[in-house]
Amino acid sequence: VGLLCMTSLRFMAVRQKRLHLVRHGQALHNVRAEALKDAGCSYKAFVDQMAADDAFDADLTELGQQQAAKAGAQLKELP
């Protein structure tokens, strides 16, 4: 019984799941709000601009595509 219990514990320790949260790369609807933020706007002005430019499933900018590719490569290197 003790050996069975130890084997079960080892098996359970190996069966871990990891959740990696990754933000998408820059999308077309982010550009104007990010420019305002870089210029020192208030948080409210930033959020208002994000809401005004909000787009469902917006395409990525060229920078966003590069960011997504880099994130994908980094995820592939994780154990």
Side-chain angles (χ1 to χ4, degrees):
V1 175
L3 181 60
L4 177 60
C5 191
M6 291 292 287
T7 303
S8 297
L9 287 175
R10 273 192 234 130
F11 179 72
M12 288 172 54
V14 173
R15 293 190 47 149
Q16 296 180 36
K17 291 186 180 186
R18 293 183 184 196
L19 174 65
H20 300 279
L21 302 177
V22 179
R23 183 187 182 277
H24 62 76
Q26 182 189 62
L28 292 173
H29 70 293
N30 300 129
V31 177
R32 292 195 319 166
E34 288 176 2
L36 282 176
K37 183 179 170 187
D38 291 343
C41 74
S42 68
Y43 178 75
K44 181 177 179 349
F46 172 75
V47 171
D48 288 347
Q49 187 64 58
M50 286 293 289
D53 289 345
D54 193 22
F56 180 75
D57 203 19
D59 290 334
L60 296 178
T61 62
E62 186 174 327
L63 173 60
Q65 291 174 10
Q66 293 169 2
Q67 291 167 331
K70 182 178 178 181
Q74 290 172 333
L75 285 171
K76 285 181 182 178
E77 298 297 318
L78 294 176

